[in-house]
Amino acid sequence: MTVSQSDLVLDADAQDLLFRDARTANTFSDEPVTDEQVQAIYDLVKWAPTSMNQQPLRIVLLRSEEAKQRLLPHLMEGNRAKTEKAPLVAILAADTEFHENLPRVFPHSPGAKDIFADPGFREQNAKLNATLQTAYFFLGVRAAGLAVGPMTGLNAGGINAEFFPDGRQQTLVVANIGKPGENAWMERLPRLDYDEVVTTL
Amino acid sequence: MTVSQSDLVLDADAQDLLFRDARTANTFSDEPVTDEQVQAIYDLVKWAPTSMNQQPLRIVLLRSEEAKQRLLPHLMEGNRAKTEKAPLVAILAADTEFHENLPRVFPHSPGAKDIFADPGFREQNAKLNATLQTAYFFLGVRAAGLAVGPMTGLNAGGINAEFFPDGRQQTLVVANIGKPGENAWMERLPRLDYDEVVTTL
């Protein structure tokens, strides 16, 4: 089977920016990430799909030294120094009460909110869809010419207790954001072959 | 706060293709989706990040009538007719034994596989990272000029029993893929405001 870029419509520069050249960054330059950049990212990625337009992703941006210090003890030790130095740190979390917005964001289906009366089913939906939105957000960060350094080596329960004491939001991933610094990344790691991932029936 | 496209580096056509103009499709044209297109999509989105390069996403493409008929009873009734007519249907699933590949895809850390000895921790990682990859895949489908119709109204346990009887893979989402047909989508639904989603500390 021949694979060709001509099977894609997205132009090669955009492919490189979002996927081929983009890398997980472990160091960052001092250049700040502005609120305007984050808003432009959100205004792009908000259009990507979630089940029944749930939109459960919530983002806490840590800019102040004080806010970052509240996070660091809950990260795996190897993730602390790079997070302390990153221009911007984002906690990506799922809002388990997303269903309260459904009458407004899924207005043609008045009973939509009631489908999610069960807290377990709600949490499962919130996590699945907020994780999809987390991935959209990562690509949005790259669309803004920035690098993202996602981390799952963390104590989610500790972060939840510190930042979401009412229990409504659940931490999924923490991500450092900025322009890449010196020696920002490791060598490119191998990816699985198509035939290891895709089966056709 | 003023939001401007100039805060993004990704060109406007690519923004439209992936996010602004792209829509969840409910009807499709008869034009087939080729294996070459799916391979080009995979060869693009495989580069997007997962924790420790886990890459747990597995994709089952349903092309034959017979394969689709095995799926339909496990979809919510409202999703069956459109799935039956879609040129290509994909089951997106998480491989809970992804850790077996770590010695090959995360080779600088020989102990990586052992971190995931616990099946519960492994399943949690598999689902989180395969869900991130599912979102990358959706945007890859759009990068190929195709529309995607993701569905979570399904009986995951039923699909797992039918397609993954060894229990190794867990279904996350089913997605229809193709060129949009007539009346392919609903009116655009409202998105949450920036201030409802993002908090800065």
Side-chain angles (χ1 to χ4, degrees):
Chain A
M1 184 155 49
T2 311
V3 182
S4 150
Q5 274 199 351
S6 68
D7 285 310
L8 298 178
V9 170
L10 186 70
D11 67 87
D13 284 349
Q15 292 178 31
D16 290 343
L17 180 71
L18 300 181
F19 294 102
R20 294 193 205 277
D21 290 346
R23 302 289 305 277
T24 290
N26 294 303
T27 72
F28 296 93
S29 80
D30 292 336
E31 197 176 323
V33 177
T34 66
D35 283 337
E36 287 74 12
Q37 283 175 304
V38 183
Q39 179 144 4
I41 292 164
Y42 177 70
D43 278 354
L44 181 68
V45 303
K46 71 181 181 186
W47 297 116
T50 56
S51 309
M52 294 175 74
N53 204 27
Q54 289 175 16
Q55 305 175 69
L57 180 68
R58 299 294 176 267
I59 302 171
V60 181
L61 299 177
L62 310 182
R63 284 199 176 282
S64 69
E65 237 1 90
E66 186 199 348
K68 275 194 193 174
Q69 292 301 328
R70 291 170 55 197
L71 173 70
L72 295 180
H74 307 292
L75 298 184
M76 229 174 59
E77 201 159 346
N79 286 334
R80 289 178 197 165
K82 63 182 175 186
T83 303
E84 194 163 16
K85 286 187 199 146
L88 187 65
V89 181
I91 301 172
L92 291 308
D95 181 1
T96 59
E97 304 289 328
F98 67 86
H99 65 315
E100 288 177 5
N101 294 320
L102 291 180
R104 177 163 55 101
V105 298
F106 207 66
H108 56 288
S109 176
K113 183 180 166 180
D114 304 329
I115 297 174
F116 300 100
D118 176 70
F121 183 64
R122 213 158 65 221
E123 182 178 323
Q124 186 194 335
N125 271 269
K127 286 185 167 176
L128 176 73
N129 284 287
T131 304
L132 293 172
Q133 289 186 288
T134 294
Y136 305 144
F137 179 77
F138 292 165
L139 296 182
V141 169
R142 292 171 166 189
L146 299 166
V148 61
M151 296 173 289
T152 58
L154 48 80
N155 171 7
I159 299 174
N160 294 343
E162 178 64 35
F163 290 92
F164 311 121
D166 66 3
R168 177 173 168 149
Q169 297 184 42
Q170 304 222 5
T171 301
L172 300 169
V173 178
V174 171
N176 296 325
I177 299 170
K179 291 272 188 191
E182 285 182 19
N183 302 313
W185 37 71
M186 304 193 293
E187 224 176 307
R188 184 67 114 172
L189 292 167
R191 297 302 195 263
L192 299 179
D193 292 335
Y194 182 79
D195 293 336
E196 296 178 280
V197 172
V198 180
T199 310
T200 304
L201 297 181
Chain B
M1 184 154 49
T2 312
V3 183
S4 151
Q5 274 199 353
S6 68
D7 286 308
L8 297 178
V9 171
L10 186 71
D11 66 86
D13 284 349
Q15 292 178 31
D16 290 344
L17 180 70
L18 299 181
F19 293 103
R20 295 192 204 278
D21 289 347
R23 302 291 303 279
T24 290
N26 294 303
T27 71
F28 296 91
S29 79
D30 291 335
E31 197 176 324
V33 177
T34 65
D35 282 338
E36 287 72 14
Q37 283 175 304
V38 182
Q39 180 144 3
I41 292 165
Y42 177 70
D43 277 354
L44 180 68
V45 303
K46 70 181 181 186
W47 297 116
T50 56
S51 310
M52 296 176 72
N53 205 27
Q54 288 174 16
Q55 307 176 71
L57 180 67
R58 300 296 177 266
I59 302 171
V60 180
L61 299 178
L62 309 182
R63 282 198 177 283
S64 68
E65 232 8 82
E66 185 200 348
K68 275 193 193 177
Q69 292 301 331
R70 291 170 54 198
L71 173 70
L72 295 180
H74 307 290
L75 298 183
M76 229 175 56
E77 200 161 345
N79 286 332
R80 288 178 199 166
K82 63 182 174 186
T83 303
E84 194 163 14
K85 287 188 200 145
L88 186 66
V89 180
I91 301 172
L92 292 310
D95 181 1
T96 59
E97 304 289 328
F98 67 86
H99 65 316
E100 288 177 4
N101 294 320
L102 291 179
R104 177 162 55 103
V105 298
F106 207 65
H108 57 287
S109 177
K113 183 180 164 181
D114 305 329
I115 296 173
F116 300 99
D118 177 70
F121 183 62
R122 213 159 65 222
E123 181 177 324
Q124 187 193 333
N125 271 269
K127 285 185 169 177
L128 176 72
N129 284 287
T131 305
L132 293 173
Q133 288 185 289
T134 294
Y136 305 145
F137 179 77
F138 291 165
L139 296 183
V141 170
R142 290 170 169 190
L146 298 166
V148 61
M151 296 173 289
T152 58
L154 48 80
N155 172 6
I159 297 173
N160 294 342
E162 178 66 32
F163 290 92
F164 312 121
D166 66 3
R168 177 174 168 148
Q169 296 184 44
Q170 303 220 3
T171 301
L172 301 169
V173 178
V174 170
N176 296 324
I177 299 171
K179 290 275 188 190
E182 284 184 19
N183 303 312
W185 37 70
M186 302 194 293
E187 222 177 308
R188 185 66 116 168
L189 291 167
R191 296 305 195 258
L192 299 179
D193 292 335
Y194 182 78
D195 294 338
E196 296 179 280
V197 172
V198 181
T199 311
T200 305
L201 299 181

